[in-house]
Amino acid sequence: MPLPFLTADRGFDTVEDVALPFDDHDQWRRPYRPGPWRVAAAAVALLLASFMLLATMIIAFAGGLAAAAVCFGLAALVIVVALRMLRMGAWVSRHGLRRVAFFRTTTLAWSQAGGVRTVQQPVRWLGLPRTVQGQALVAVRKNGGEQLALLTDHNADFLARVEAFDRAADTVEAWSAEYARP
């Protein structure tokens, strides 16, 4: 028994896929949903943090306040890492493009962007050092600087989800066509 109201991708299969009236283009937004690999990794990290917080409570009740503080600090660090993993990806707004990596965020204004295109190139598999041949959505700078890789079809959002990568790439290219000035 299919339950279409429970699926996350049902909005893309209908004709009614239009922008909502309160859709504010000044807000930074991710034009795609986080992928299952990214969500699963963050869920496992948050589960680990919950066990660490339980251990913190047990240690605190046993009287080891210094050890409880260390355990609480590590649990807070794991929570911050999980939230940062969920935040990673490409973001767009009326102001430009933003690529959020784990340690760095790079913003490129539409006035600096020469265009956004999909290219075939070696890409990193799940962000690891191993590279495979794949597709990447890159932003080309007008001044001829290095290209900014926004999305790849082998990252944690699009691994084994080619249609989702194509849809996200088309959406970012549409934002570029709307706001980038030649």
Side-chain angles (χ1 to χ4, degrees), residues 17-126:
D17 189 21
V18 295
L20 298 173
F22 56 85
D23 195 16
D24 185 12
H25 284 219
D26 287 330
Q27 297 286 330
W28 288 100
R29 66 186 65 238
R30 185 188 343 232
Y32 57 91
R33 292 181 177 92
W37 288 93
R38 186 174 310 281
V39 172
V44 168
L46 290 173
L47 183 65
L48 175 66
S50 70
F51 286 125
M52 292 172 75
L53 289 172
L54 181 66
T56 300
M57 185 181 70
I58 292 170
I59 292 170
F61 285 148
L65 294 180
V70 169
C71 193
F72 180 78
L74 290 174
L77 180 68
V78 170
I79 291 171
V80 167
V81 165
L83 293 176
R84 187 63 181 184
M85 281 192 315
L86 287 174
R87 187 102 174 122
M88 289 170 53
W91 296 74
V92 293
S93 80
R94 184 184 318 259
H95 309 293
L97 290 165
R98 180 174 285 172
R99 186 182 59 117
V100 178
F102 193 76
F103 290 113
R104 177 189 291 175
T105 299
T106 306
T107 302
L108 181 66
W110 289 120
S111 61
Q112 298 171 345
V116 176
R117 65 174 187 250
T118 304
V119 295
Q120 290 280 344
Q121 67 181 28
V123 295
R124 295 172 63 181
W125 184 77
L126 287 177

